Amino acid sequence: MTTKIAALPRSAAEPSDLPKRRTMISREPMHEQVLPHIRRDIVEGRWGPGERLPEPLLCAEFGISRTPMRDALKILEAEGLVELVPHVGAVVTDPTQPDVAEKMEVLSALEQAAAAKVAATRPPAVLEQISILHTRMNAAAHQHDPSTYYRLNDEFHRAIVLGADNKTLADMHEHIMWHVHRARHRANEYEKLSEGAAEHHDRIVRCLISGDPNAAAAAMKEHLHDVSDSIVGHLDHESE
């Protein structure tokens, strides 16, 4: 990964101008409560590659001190989403095309294994959740609502992974998926959502419900191969 340091982000308004996203009352350490929010902001492009995360702004936004904020940034660095640069701070990394291609390979292998396991075990509650998400994705696509569609798409794939009931697989998938989702969100900015987008998942759902592990894995592999081509192709275009 290469990191290019940019100027202070355009979204760095004065702390007093920002709505507070104070965390909910929880027994989790404060840095673990804010971590998912900052991670998703990076994935969805609020903070772009090379931008420095403004610590004072984020502390004010979440209503926390610098200590838990820095603990959260250390985790994001371990995940590869930011780089802690001396005398600069946390800078959002800029993933390369080969790096994303490698991570996409691993993500595909994990989701193929998960799909095969779900098809073999066919847990009723999991299959129902997957079917509901697929139906809602179809509706979002027909309503030309990309934000809802891609959120549901993330939930659809994660539901299959969690449905495999394998914590090691789920933990590995969570670590990899943020990098892939970030690259995909960048690609989605340039691709129009089609009404038939959710139909790409039809075969996966049918194979899971019918209980065919090999077919489910093959359907997931084919789908994610197309996704990978789109994401990597976009990164190739950006680098030209």
Side-chain angles (χ1 to χ4, degrees):
M1 278 182 195
T2 57
T3 300
K4 297 177 286 186
I5 301 173
L8 192 66
R10 56 190 173 281
S11 47
E14 290 298 322
S16 59
D17 296 335
L18 289 168
K20 297 290 189 298
R21 291 199 295 183
R22 296 186 185 277
T23 53
M24 297 178 291
I25 297 174
S26 171
R27 294 181 181 178
E28 291 183 331
M30 191 62 70
H31 72 276
E32 292 183 10
Q33 295 182 51
V34 303
L35 178 63
H37 299 285
I38 303 173
R39 184 193 287 125
R40 185 161 292 279
D41 282 346
I42 293 172
V43 169
E44 295 184 352
R46 178 187 180 190
W47 313 110
E51 288 189 318
R52 175 166 59 90
L53 298 184
E55 284 187 39
L57 175 82
L58 291 172
C59 288
E61 185 173 331
F62 290 104
I64 62 174
S65 68
R66 284 198 167 190
T67 297
M69 178 58 64
R70 287 176 177 174
D71 288 341
L73 295 178
K74 287 176 183 177
I75 296 175
L76 291 172
E77 182 181 45
E79 293 177 348
L81 293 174
V82 304
E83 180 181 353
L84 298 180
V85 181
H87 310 300
V88 175
V91 179
V92 178
T93 56
D94 189 5
T96 64
Q97 184 267 356
D99 180 62
V100 172
E102 287 181 2
K103 285 182 169 59
M104 194 67 216
E105 254 185 72
V106 176
L107 187 86
S108 178
L110 293 172
E111 293 200 19
Q112 288 175 57
K117 177 77 176 292
V118 171
T121 57
R122 300 177 68 209
V126 173
L127 293 179
E128 181 181 9
Q129 181 188 15
I130 291 168
S131 297
I132 290 171
L133 288 169
H134 184 231
T135 299
R136 292 171 62 192
M137 286 166 62
N138 268 310
H142 282 86
Q143 292 165 9
H144 304 286
D145 183 353
S147 177
T148 298
Y149 174 83
Y150 288 115
R151 176 179 57 79
L152 292 170
N153 178 76
D154 292 349
E155 293 179 16
F156 174 89
H157 285 270
R158 189 64 179 165
I160 294 173
V161 170
L162 295 177
D165 196 23
N166 183 315
K167 185 178 184 304
T168 300
L169 189 154
D171 288 347
M172 293 174 65
H173 179 267
E174 183 176 23
H175 178 77
I176 294 290
M177 74 176 184
W178 294 116
H179 297 271
V180 173
H181 290 182
R182 177 160 64 131
R184 197 199 65 214
H185 275 285
R186 288 169 66 179
N188 289 345
E189 293 177 4
Y190 299 90
E191 291 188 9
K192 185 178 179 181
L193 177 66
S194 68
E195 289 189 8
E199 295 173 4
H200 297 171
H201 300 81
D202 287 351
R203 185 182 165 206
I204 297 172
V205 175
R206 288 198 305 270
C207 294
L208 293 175
I209 292 174
S210 67
D212 189 333
N214 291 332
M220 183 66 77
K221 180 179 181 180
E222 181 181 357
H223 167 62
L224 291 179
H225 180 270
D226 291 344
V227 173
S228 180
D229 281 351
S230 173
I231 293 173
V232 174
H234 170 71
L235 289 175
D236 278 340
H237 178 72
E238 277 192 333
S239 63
E240 290 176 356

